[in-house]
Amino acid sequence: MNLKTPLTLEKIKNIKAGTQIFLSGTIFSMRDKAHKKMVEENFFPLNLKDQTIFYMGPSPTRPGHKSGSCGPTTSARMDKWTPTFVKKTGIICIIGKGERSQQVKEAMKGKILYLIAFGGLGALYAKCVKKSEVVLFKELGCEAVYKLEVENMPLIVAQDIKGENIL
């Protein structure tokens, strides 16, 4: 199934857990340090309503490329901040890898589509990136927030908005 950001509840309401997705459009990368900073400082400067975030940190970009390797990081590392992050930002989709805590699964139910990216495929995902720029927390290096334009990024729905989960 092809899916283009930004997403809406209307666009994702009938997508079921286990569905293969090819995602295109704008997404934002965020990892531990960005989540911690935003939640603990109650600082949410980006408009992330109906946006998609990807738990990843890019490798340095080689000359002639749009992005370095950009594989997923373990989603559970963000679990302590995710419920607050969901409430404060209005995000609609999270991309990561691995299972989430029960608390996070409940916080996402009815609001968030959780997509899993495949570990070990960072080089393939880098080929999906058509544009990449740091938009927040440049001082965090690979944990800065990047705005990415992606095309046909292969993912699987781990949890649909009804709460059905394949993990």
Side-chain angles (χ1 to χ4, degrees), residues 51-68:
Q51 296 298 325
T52 298
I53 61 169
F54 182 21
Y55 297 151
M56 74 92 177
S59 298
T61 303
R62 294 187 339 232
H65 292 82
K66 303 289 184 192
S67 174

